[in-house]
PDB file of all heavy atoms in Angstrom:
ATOM      1  N   ARG A   1       0.826  -1.214   0.000  1.00  0.00           N
ATOM      2  CA  ARG A   1      -0.025  -0.062  -0.043  1.00  0.00           C
ATOM      3  C   ARG A   1       0.859   1.274   0.011  1.00  0.00           C
ATOM      4  O   ARG A   1       0.547   2.204  -0.817  1.00  0.00           O
ATOM      5  CB  ARG A   1      -0.865  -0.049   1.156  1.00  0.00           C
ATOM      6  CG  ARG A   1      -2.109  -1.087   1.147  1.00  0.00           C
ATOM      7  CD  ARG A   1      -3.082  -0.716   2.261  1.00  0.00           C
ATOM      8  NE  ARG A   1      -2.444  -0.827   3.518  1.00  0.00           N
ATOM      9  CZ  ARG A   1      -2.475  -1.972   4.284  1.00  0.00           C
ATOM     10  NH1 ARG A   1      -2.960  -3.140   3.750  1.00  0.00           N
ATOM     11  NH2 ARG A   1      -2.002  -1.927   5.556  1.00  0.00           N
ATOM     12  N   LEU A   2       1.879   1.233   0.767  1.00  0.00           N
ATOM     13  CA  LEU A   2       2.822   2.442   0.867  1.00  0.00           C
ATOM     14  C   LEU A   2       3.427   2.692  -0.444  1.00  0.00           C
ATOM     15  O   LEU A   2       3.805   3.867  -0.760  1.00  0.00           O
ATOM     16  CB  LEU A   2       3.857   2.276   2.008  1.00  0.00           C
ATOM     17  CG  LEU A   2       3.285   2.398   3.414  1.00  0.00           C
ATOM     18  CD1 LEU A   2       4.240   1.795   4.426  1.00  0.00           C
ATOM     19  CD2 LEU A   2       2.942   3.825   3.693  1.00  0.00           C
ATOM     20  N   GLY A   3       3.708   1.697  -1.220  1.00  0.00           N
ATOM     21  CA  GLY A   3       4.382   1.850  -2.545  1.00  0.00           C
ATOM     22  C   GLY A   3       3.575   2.617  -3.476  1.00  0.00           C
ATOM     23  O   GLY A   3       4.041   3.199  -4.463  1.00  0.00           O
ATOM     24  N   SER A   4       2.304   2.662  -3.285  1.00  0.00           N
ATOM     25  CA  SER A   4       1.397   3.455  -4.278  1.00  0.00           C
ATOM     26  C   SER A   4       1.109   4.783  -3.672  1.00  0.00           C
ATOM     27  O   SER A   4       0.419   5.581  -4.298  1.00  0.00           O
ATOM     28  CB  SER A   4       0.109   2.749  -4.644  1.00  0.00           C
ATOM     29  OG  SER A   4      -0.589   2.400  -3.485  1.00  0.00           O
ATOM     30  N   GLU A   5       1.492   5.067  -2.465  1.00  0.00           N
ATOM     31  CA  GLU A   5       1.209   6.392  -1.755  1.00  0.00           C
ATOM     32  C   GLU A   5       2.149   7.475  -2.256  1.00  0.00           C
ATOM     33  O   GLU A   5       3.322   7.199  -2.635  1.00  0.00           O
ATOM     34  CB  GLU A   5       1.296   6.382  -0.336  1.00  0.00           C
ATOM     35  CG  GLU A   5       0.099   5.762   0.329  1.00  0.00           C
ATOM     36  CD  GLU A   5       0.143   5.966   1.934  1.00  0.00           C
ATOM     37  OE1 GLU A   5       1.052   6.664   2.404  1.00  0.00           O
ATOM     38  OE2 GLU A   5      -0.721   5.318   2.693  1.00  0.00           O
ATOM     39  N   ARG A   6       1.698   8.678  -2.395  1.00  0.00           N
ATOM     40  CA  ARG A   6       2.534   9.871  -2.712  1.00  0.00           C
ATOM     41  C   ARG A   6       2.564  10.918  -1.519  1.00  0.00           C
ATOM     42  O   ARG A   6       3.051  11.953  -1.768  1.00  0.00           O
ATOM     43  CB  ARG A   6       2.042  10.594  -4.024  1.00  0.00           C
ATOM     44  CG  ARG A   6       1.973   9.713  -5.224  1.00  0.00           C
ATOM     45  CD  ARG A   6       3.410   9.327  -5.639  1.00  0.00           C
ATOM     46  NE  ARG A   6       3.454   8.423  -6.777  1.00  0.00           N
ATOM     47  CZ  ARG A   6       3.583   7.130  -6.720  1.00  0.00           C
ATOM     48  NH1 ARG A   6       3.547   6.518  -5.457  1.00  0.00           N
ATOM     49  NH2 ARG A   6       3.537   6.416  -7.773  1.00  0.00           N
ATOM     50  N   LEU A   7       2.222  10.310  -0.290  1.00  0.00           N
ATOM     51  CA  LEU A   7       2.252  11.226   0.853  1.00  0.00           C
ATOM     52  C   LEU A   7       3.644  11.376   1.397  1.00  0.00           C
ATOM     53  O   LEU A   7       4.414  10.441   1.288  1.00  0.00           O
ATOM     54  CB  LEU A   7       1.277  10.605   1.800  1.00  0.00           C
ATOM     55  CG  LEU A   7      -0.227  10.631   1.492  1.00  0.00           C
ATOM     56  CD1 LEU A   7      -0.965  10.059   2.515  1.00  0.00           C
ATOM     57  CD2 LEU A   7      -0.818  11.988   1.160  1.00  0.00           C
ATOM     58  N   LEU A   8       3.879  12.381   2.087  1.00  0.00           N
ATOM     59  CA  LEU A   8       5.098  12.648   2.838  1.00  0.00           C
ATOM     60  C   LEU A   8       5.486  11.450   3.817  1.00  0.00           C
ATOM     61  O   LEU A   8       4.562  11.010   4.502  1.00  0.00           O
ATOM     62  CB  LEU A   8       5.030  13.919   3.654  1.00  0.00           C
ATOM     63  CG  LEU A   8       6.322  14.251   4.494  1.00  0.00           C
ATOM     64  CD1 LEU A   8       7.478  14.580   3.606  1.00  0.00           C
ATOM     65  CD2 LEU A   8       5.974  15.373   5.423  1.00  0.00           C
ATOM     66  N   GLY A   9       6.630  10.974   3.665  1.00  0.00           N
ATOM     67  CA  GLY A   9       7.016   9.872   4.591  1.00  0.00           C
ATOM     68  C   GLY A   9       6.747   8.454   4.259  1.00  0.00           C
ATOM     69  O   GLY A   9       7.020   7.588   4.982  1.00  0.00           O
ATOM     70  N   ALA A  10       6.068   8.292   3.044  1.00  0.00           N
ATOM     71  CA  ALA A  10       5.780   6.915   2.651  1.00  0.00           C
ATOM     72  C   ALA A  10       7.066   6.056   2.557  1.00  0.00           C
ATOM     73  O   ALA A  10       7.023   4.834   2.997  1.00  0.00           O
ATOM     74  CB  ALA A  10       5.015   6.825   1.348  1.00  0.00           C
ATOM     75  N   ASP A  11       8.177   6.574   2.024  1.00  0.00           N
ATOM     76  CA  ASP A  11       9.298   5.747   1.901  1.00  0.00           C
ATOM     77  C   ASP A  11       9.936   5.483   3.286  1.00  0.00           C
ATOM     78  O   ASP A  11      10.417   4.425   3.467  1.00  0.00           O
ATOM     79  CB  ASP A  11      10.331   6.503   1.127  1.00  0.00           C
ATOM     80  CG  ASP A  11      10.657   7.861   1.635  1.00  0.00           C
ATOM     81  OD1 ASP A  11       9.871   8.541   2.301  1.00  0.00           O
ATOM     82  OD2 ASP A  11      11.810   8.470   1.314  1.00  0.00           O
ATOM     83  N   VAL A  12       9.813   6.380   4.248  1.00  0.00           N
ATOM     84  CA  VAL A  12      10.371   6.151   5.535  1.00  0.00           C
ATOM     85  C   VAL A  12       9.505   4.993   6.260  1.00  0.00           C
ATOM     86  O   VAL A  12      10.087   4.056   6.910  1.00  0.00           O
ATOM     87  CB  VAL A  12      10.236   7.440   6.462  1.00  0.00           C
ATOM     88  CG1 VAL A  12      10.618   7.093   7.861  1.00  0.00           C
ATOM     89  CG2 VAL A  12      11.174   8.534   5.820  1.00  0.00           C
ATOM     90  N   LEU A  13       8.232   5.079   6.046  1.00  0.00           N
ATOM     91  CA  LEU A  13       7.282   4.006   6.680  1.00  0.00           C
ATOM     92  C   LEU A  13       7.598   2.667   6.042  1.00  0.00           C
ATOM     93  O   LEU A  13       7.545   1.636   6.722  1.00  0.00           O
ATOM     94  CB  LEU A  13       5.875   4.430   6.495  1.00  0.00           C
ATOM     95  CG  LEU A  13       5.403   5.568   7.253  1.00  0.00           C
ATOM     96  CD1 LEU A  13       4.032   5.982   6.922  1.00  0.00           C
ATOM     97  CD2 LEU A  13       5.567   5.338   8.726  1.00  0.00           C
ATOM     98  N   GLN A  14       7.995   2.688   4.731  1.00  0.00           N
ATOM     99  CA  GLN A  14       8.349   1.379   3.980  1.00  0.00           C
ATOM    100  C   GLN A  14       9.648   0.856   4.684  1.00  0.00           C
ATOM    101  O   GLN A  14       9.768  -0.369   4.938  1.00  0.00           O
ATOM    102  CB  GLN A  14       8.669   1.555   2.513  1.00  0.00           C
ATOM    103  CG  GLN A  14       7.311   1.560   1.758  1.00  0.00           C
ATOM    104  CD  GLN A  14       7.500   1.445   0.251  1.00  0.00           C
ATOM    105  OE1 GLN A  14       8.470   2.029  -0.211  1.00  0.00           O
ATOM    106  NE2 GLN A  14       6.756   0.562  -0.445  1.00  0.00           N
ATOM    107  N   ASN A  15      10.565   1.724   4.915  1.00  0.00           N
ATOM    108  CA  ASN A  15      11.738   1.268   5.617  1.00  0.00           C
ATOM    109  C   ASN A  15      11.537   0.719   7.036  1.00  0.00           C
ATOM    110  O   ASN A  15      12.108  -0.276   7.385  1.00  0.00           O
ATOM    111  CB  ASN A  15      12.792   2.418   5.760  1.00  0.00           C
ATOM    112  CG  ASN A  15      13.330   2.875   4.430  1.00  0.00           C
ATOM    113  OD1 ASN A  15      13.095   2.330   3.370  1.00  0.00           O
ATOM    114  ND2 ASN A  15      14.078   4.022   4.418  1.00  0.00           N
ATOM    115  N   ALA A  16      10.651   1.336   7.829  1.00  0.00           N
ATOM    116  CA  ALA A  16      10.285   0.844   9.032  1.00  0.00           C
ATOM    117  C   ALA A  16       9.578  -0.603   8.961  1.00  0.00           C
ATOM    118  O   ALA A  16       9.752  -1.421   9.701  1.00  0.00           O
ATOM    119  CB  ALA A  16       9.297   1.779   9.730  1.00  0.00           C
ATOM    120  N   CYS A  17       8.753  -0.767   7.929  1.00  0.00           N
ATOM    121  CA  CYS A  17       8.042  -2.069   7.670  1.00  0.00           C
ATOM    122  C   CYS A  17       9.158  -3.083   7.325  1.00  0.00           C
ATOM    123  O   CYS A  17       9.017  -4.229   7.784  1.00  0.00           O
ATOM    124  CB  CYS A  17       7.100  -1.938   6.580  1.00  0.00           C
ATOM    125  SG  CYS A  17       5.546  -1.036   6.962  1.00  0.00           S
ATOM    126  N   LEU A  18      10.180  -2.747   6.556  1.00  0.00           N
ATOM    127  CA  LEU A  18      11.193  -3.681   6.242  1.00  0.00           C
ATOM    128  C   LEU A  18      11.953  -4.076   7.480  1.00  0.00           C
ATOM    129  O   LEU A  18      12.240  -5.272   7.648  1.00  0.00           O
ATOM    130  CB  LEU A  18      12.220  -2.999   5.199  1.00  0.00           C
ATOM    131  CG  LEU A  18      13.301  -3.865   4.810  1.00  0.00           C
ATOM    132  CD1 LEU A  18      12.990  -5.166   4.129  1.00  0.00           C
ATOM    133  CD2 LEU A  18      14.362  -3.097   4.028  1.00  0.00           C
ATOM    134  N   MET A  19      12.261  -3.222   8.443  1.00  0.00           N
ATOM    135  CA  MET A  19      12.944  -3.440   9.513  1.00  0.00           C
ATOM    136  C   MET A  19      12.096  -4.476  10.414  1.00  0.00           C
ATOM    137  O   MET A  19      12.626  -5.552  10.868  1.00  0.00           O
ATOM    138  CB  MET A  19      13.129  -2.335  10.459  1.00  0.00           C
ATOM    139  CG  MET A  19      14.200  -1.295   9.851  1.00  0.00           C
ATOM    140  SD  MET A  19      14.300   0.282  10.803  1.00  0.00           S
ATOM    141  CE  MET A  19      15.078  -0.364  12.330  1.00  0.00           C
ATOM    142  N   GLU A  20      10.833  -4.236  10.481  1.00  0.00           N
ATOM    143  CA  GLU A  20       9.959  -5.072  11.248  1.00  0.00           C
ATOM    144  C   GLU A  20       9.875  -6.529  10.550  1.00  0.00           C
ATOM    145  O   GLU A  20       9.944  -7.552  11.321  1.00  0.00           O
ATOM    146  CB  GLU A  20       8.578  -4.440  11.204  1.00  0.00           C
ATOM    147  CG  GLU A  20       7.567  -5.341  12.104  1.00  0.00           C
ATOM    148  CD  GLU A  20       6.121  -4.646  12.116  1.00  0.00           C
ATOM    149  OE1 GLU A  20       6.050  -3.499  11.665  1.00  0.00           O
ATOM    150  OE2 GLU A  20       5.179  -5.395  12.579  1.00  0.00           O
ATOM    151  N   LEU A  21       9.818  -6.508   9.343  1.00  0.00           N
ATOM    152  CA  LEU A  21       9.717  -7.804   8.566  1.00  0.00           C
ATOM    153  C   LEU A  21      11.053  -8.549   8.805  1.00  0.00           C
ATOM    154  O   LEU A  21      11.002  -9.888   8.954  1.00  0.00           O
ATOM    155  CB  LEU A  21       9.569  -7.501   7.028  1.00  0.00           C
ATOM    156  CG  LEU A  21       8.794  -8.649   6.302  1.00  0.00           C
ATOM    157  CD1 LEU A  21       7.431  -9.049   6.946  1.00  0.00           C
ATOM    158  CD2 LEU A  21       8.640  -8.243   4.882  1.00  0.00           C
ATOM    159  N   LEU A  22      12.236  -7.992   8.623  1.00  0.00           N
ATOM    160  CA  LEU A  22      13.421  -8.776   8.757  1.00  0.00           C
ATOM    161  C   LEU A  22      13.653  -9.216  10.225  1.00  0.00           C
ATOM    162  O   LEU A  22      14.124 -10.273  10.427  1.00  0.00           O
ATOM    163  CB  LEU A  22      14.630  -7.735   8.489  1.00  0.00           C
ATOM    164  CG  LEU A  22      14.740  -7.424   6.987  1.00  0.00           C
ATOM    165  CD1 LEU A  22      15.688  -6.169   6.749  1.00  0.00           C
ATOM    166  CD2 LEU A  22      15.458  -8.643   6.335  1.00  0.00           C
ATOM    167  N   VAL A  23      13.208  -8.405  11.310  1.00  0.00           N
ATOM    168  CA  VAL A  23      13.300  -8.950  12.644  1.00  0.00           C
ATOM    169  C   VAL A  23      12.449 -10.103  12.799  1.00  0.00           C
ATOM    170  O   VAL A  23      12.759 -11.088  13.381  1.00  0.00           O
ATOM    171  CB  VAL A  23      12.963  -7.729  13.551  1.00  0.00           C
ATOM    172  CG1 VAL A  23      12.700  -8.361  14.995  1.00  0.00           C
ATOM    173  CG2 VAL A  23      14.070  -6.637  13.622  1.00  0.00           C
ATOM    174  N   PHE A  24      11.119 -10.038  12.234  1.00  0.00           N
ATOM    175  CA  PHE A  24      10.111 -11.003  12.308  1.00  0.00           C
ATOM    176  C   PHE A  24      10.727 -12.302  11.779  1.00  0.00           C
ATOM    177  O   PHE A  24      10.604 -13.419  12.354  1.00  0.00           O
ATOM    178  CB  PHE A  24       8.869 -10.621  11.741  1.00  0.00           C
ATOM    179  CG  PHE A  24       7.835 -11.719  11.722  1.00  0.00           C
ATOM    180  CD1 PHE A  24       7.210 -12.133  12.841  1.00  0.00           C
ATOM    181  CD2 PHE A  24       7.481 -12.300  10.562  1.00  0.00           C
ATOM    182  CE1 PHE A  24       6.242 -13.205  12.820  1.00  0.00           C
ATOM    183  CE2 PHE A  24       6.597 -13.326  10.453  1.00  0.00           C
ATOM    184  CZ  PHE A  24       5.989 -13.805  11.607  1.00  0.00           C
ATOM    185  N   VAL A  25      11.167 -12.232  10.542  1.00  0.00           N
ATOM    186  CA  VAL A  25      11.674 -13.453   9.843  1.00  0.00           C
ATOM    187  C   VAL A  25      12.866 -14.102  10.591  1.00  0.00           C
ATOM    188  O   VAL A  25      12.932 -15.384  10.731  1.00  0.00           O
ATOM    189  CB  VAL A  25      11.991 -13.126   8.362  1.00  0.00           C
ATOM    190  CG1 VAL A  25      12.725 -14.323   7.697  1.00  0.00           C
ATOM    191  CG2 VAL A  25      10.792 -12.814   7.595  1.00  0.00           C
ATOM    192  N   GLY A  26      13.714 -13.248  11.062  1.00  0.00           N
ATOM    193  CA  GLY A  26      14.875 -13.757  11.873  1.00  0.00           C
ATOM    194  C   GLY A  26      14.400 -14.467  13.083  1.00  0.00           C
ATOM    195  O   GLY A  26      14.885 -15.601  13.382  1.00  0.00           O
TER     196      GLY A  26
END
C-alpha cells in the first residue's frame, strides 16, 4: 500500500516495515 502512496514519509514508513519484517523473519 505504501508503494502506491505519494504522501510525505511513505518511503520512511516502508523502511520501518522492512525493519519489522526482517526482525520477524529472523
Side-chain angles (χ1 to χ4, degrees):
R1 291 194 297 271
L2 287 164
S4 60
E5 279 191 10
R6 297 295 178 265
L7 298 175
L8 176 68
D11 58 337
V12 175
L13 293 175
Q14 277 194 318
N15 291 353
C17 288
L18 175 63
M19 292 176 68
E20 183 178 351
L21 204 57
L22 285 163
V23 170
F24 173 72
V25 172

